[in-house]
Amino acid sequence: MREAPPENAILAAWEATLQRRGAAAAVLSVEGKKVRSFEDIERESRTLAPLLEPFPARSVMAVQIGNDARWPALLLALFRRQLIALPLGGHMERGELDAALTTCRATALVTMNAGRLAISPRMALAAEWPAPAPDLLKLTSGTTSAPRAVCFRAAQLVADCDNICETMGIAQGDVNYGVIPFSHSYGFSNLLTPLLCRGVPLVASSDRLPRAILTGLAQSGATVFPGMPVFYQKFAELDGAPPLPALRLCISAGAPLECSVAERFTAKFGLKIHTFYGASECGGISYDASEEVRYEDAFVGTPMRGVEIAHDAADTGPIAVRGAAVGDGYFPSADPAVLDAGRFIPGDLIRCTERGIFLAGRVSDVINIAGRKLNPLEVEARLAECPGVKQAVVFGVRSELRGEEAVACVSGTGLTREALLRFSRERLSPWQTPRDFWIVSEIPVNERGKISRRALAGQFLSRPRSP
């Protein structure tokens, strides 16, 4: 006799949400029109279930459908079939996608085809899951550059949702504006699980143009905007922005929020931006819940409800995060020194003060210059003082003589390599001064709004050289 599967905590929470919210709007268009009620999501989920019957329980189903309104129903259908969901971003290159599918042993890939869900079966080796088996995989590089997944049970995802909603004060009377990718940890935990577990409606949008987002915020009546620094920067620069009378909570995560960006946004819209810090492996870590309009670079608030942080108060260094939302481990290869038994050690360097937590760089970003360790944030802080500099990101490139050398990618106006070098030499030690300056119109970011020093180093080395 087959043993009954353990209860899925998201399905249990959904049943309560469905009873409570029923015909109420669950998914809205950017114009504020009801696209799906909670009852519609339930019916849609039951309709999708037969499409998943050919796939054996505990096989991995990769989902790459962008911010489609069918995400909630599909997730419920996967969980009811005891299939393991693997959310994937919509802008993955073919090689990156193939590597993710192979690494996670995906049995099928769900995509969009002419406005309909399309399921493409794949040949995949069956995975032997440790007990308890995961309900969802989050793709991440962890502390390495190779793709791997973090194993989550539904109860851990619900715990992260509870921490977020209670720490940030998000309730079913709010409307989340969903333009950050649902497939990423930030979007999944701030948009999808609050809808399913707490009945918080969302606006489903894939239009990331700044004016379109502001128009959607105004028309939809959204009250909560989980965004990224690049959005707030563009909003502050945009002329003729509409008023946002319904918007009450602005959240920024995914990358550091610069004070100058936050101050310009607040001056223009009269809203504070609340910084949020988290990781795929453990969900939310800290959040600035204060209503005091006081911005400091690299400040990410205080520990979230349900999150315990251990840190050596005497020094800047790593932290250990514990809580019910921490994932079970990496797949396919474990890394217990980083993630294990409800404890995760991020790759960030942290400085803890009486006010709260400050990010002080990443362990992997430290540049080894002839045996000396250079924190790139120190150089970036000095370059930010240079007239005309809008943003600076420092990374390391290989050097045969010194191991690594520092290079600065700089955006701004009226900048020259000579002037940047002269400015740096006046304020930095010779070994800290960047070997080269790469001047760009805007620092490149990925679809999450994040800046990757590793990716910048690759682009710098492969860029066409001027004669």
Side-chain angles (χ1 to χ4, degrees), residues 10 34 38 44 50 83 108 110 116 131 215 245 267 363 372 384 390 407 426 448 463 465:
I10 288 181
K34 181 165 69 174
F38 290 88
E44 187 174 31
L83 296 168
V110 183
R116 300 174 64 88
T215 300
V363 175
R372 291 183 170 185
K390 179 180 177 182
V407 173
E426 292 173 354
R448 308 184 194 192
R463 78 197 195 287
R465 303 298 179 100

Side-chain angles (χ1 to χ4, degrees), residues 50 94 105 113 169 175 192-193 202 218 260-261 270 274 285 287 296 308-309 317-318 347 421 424 426 429 432 462:
R94 186 71 235 181
R105 303 183 186 179
N113 185 8
V175 176
L192 289 183
T193 52
L202 68 82
S260 57
V261 169
H274 297 259
I285 298 174
Y287 175 72
E296 292 183 77
E308 177 187 336
I309 294 176
L421 180 60
S424 299
E426 292 173 354
S429 300
Q432 295 176 311
S462 62

Side-chain angles (χ1 to χ4, degrees), residues 48-396:
L48 292 172
L51 302 177
L52 305 175
E53 287 181 359
F55 303 98
R58 296 307 176 195
S59 57
V60 177
M61 300 287 290
V63 181
Q64 191 182 39
I65 61 172
N67 280 17
D68 192 87
R70 278 160 281 207
W71 243 116
L74 178 58
L75 189 62
L76 293 172
L78 291 171
F79 285 162
R80 283 177 173 142
R81 285 287 304 157
Q82 297 182 60
L83 296 168
I84 300 170
L86 171 64
L88 295 177
H91 299 282
M92 302 176 75
E93 296 180 357
R94 186 71 235 181
E96 184 185 6
L97 175 62
D98 289 342
L101 296 173
T102 300
T103 297
C104 298
R105 303 183 186 179
T107 302
L109 173 63
V110 183
T111 57
M112 298 297 299
N113 185 8
R116 300 174 64 88
L117 292 180
I119 302 178
S120 303
R122 300 180 71 257
M123 294 294 294
L125 294 173
E128 294 185 4
W129 301 108
D135 296 306
L136 182 135
L137 301 178
K138 290 184 183 180
L139 192 68
T140 180
S141 61
T143 55
T144 72
S145 58
R148 55 181 174 175
V150 187
C151 299
F152 283 93
R153 286 169 284 126
Q156 293 158 327
L157 301 172
V158 172
D160 189 33
C161 171
D162 290 343
N163 294 347
I164 287 170
C165 290
E166 294 183 22
T167 302
M168 299 181 183
I170 299 172
Q172 69 179 33
D174 283 306
V175 176
N176 264 319
Y177 195 87
V179 69
I180 57 175
F182 295 172
S183 58
H184 297 161
S185 184
Y186 180 22
F188 188 91
S189 295
N190 271 72
L191 298 167
L192 289 183
T193 52
L195 183 151
L196 295 172
C197 301
R198 296 215 163 199
V200 182
L202 68 82
V203 176
S205 174
S206 298
D207 194 335
R208 296 161 66 92
L209 292 176
R211 189 171 295 281
I213 296 173
L214 286 175
T215 300
L217 283 167
Q219 292 181 346
S220 66
T223 61
V224 179
F225 178 63
M228 299 178 293
V230 64
F231 290 149
Y232 295 111
Q233 176 187 333
K234 297 298 184 183
F235 295 163
E237 295 172 351
L238 203 60
D239 293 328
L244 305 173
L247 187 62
R248 68 168 190 85
L249 178 60
C250 295
I251 306 162
S252 179
L257 175 68
E258 294 185 8
C259 286
S260 57
V261 169
E263 289 166 353
R264 290 198 302 272
F265 175 86
T266 297
K268 186 169 188 174
F269 293 95
L271 293 163
K272 174 178 175 172
I273 303 175
H274 297 259
T275 53
F276 175 36
Y277 167 54
S280 297
E281 288 85 347
C282 64
I285 298 174
S286 65
Y287 175 72
D288 176 15
S290 167
E291 292 302 326
E292 178 187 9
V293 181
R294 174 187 172 191
Y295 297 117
E296 292 183 77
D297 283 333
F299 179 67
V300 290
T302 56
M304 299 185 66
R305 171 209 176 274
V307 175
E308 177 187 336
I309 294 176
H311 176 263
D312 184 354
D315 195 13
T316 295
I319 58 174
V321 180
R322 294 185 182 275
V326 178
D328 284 326
Y330 290 113
F331 177 82
S333 58
D335 191 354
V338 175
L339 177 63
D340 186 54
R343 185 263 302 143
F344 170 59
I345 300 178
D348 296 300
L349 298 173
I350 301 296
R351 178 168 57 88
C352 290
T353 70
E354 290 185 0
R355 186 181 180 210
I357 297 170
F358 289 79
L359 300 181
R362 289 188 61 82
V363 175
S364 60
D365 289 337
V366 172
I367 304 169
N368 188 348
I369 301 176
R372 291 183 170 185
K373 302 298 190 293
L374 176 65
N375 186 334
L377 293 184
E378 298 176 14
V379 181
E380 291 167 5
R382 298 287 76 76
L383 290 174
E385 299 169 355
C386 180
V389 169
K390 179 180 177 182
Q391 189 176 15
V393 179
V394 175
F395 51 86

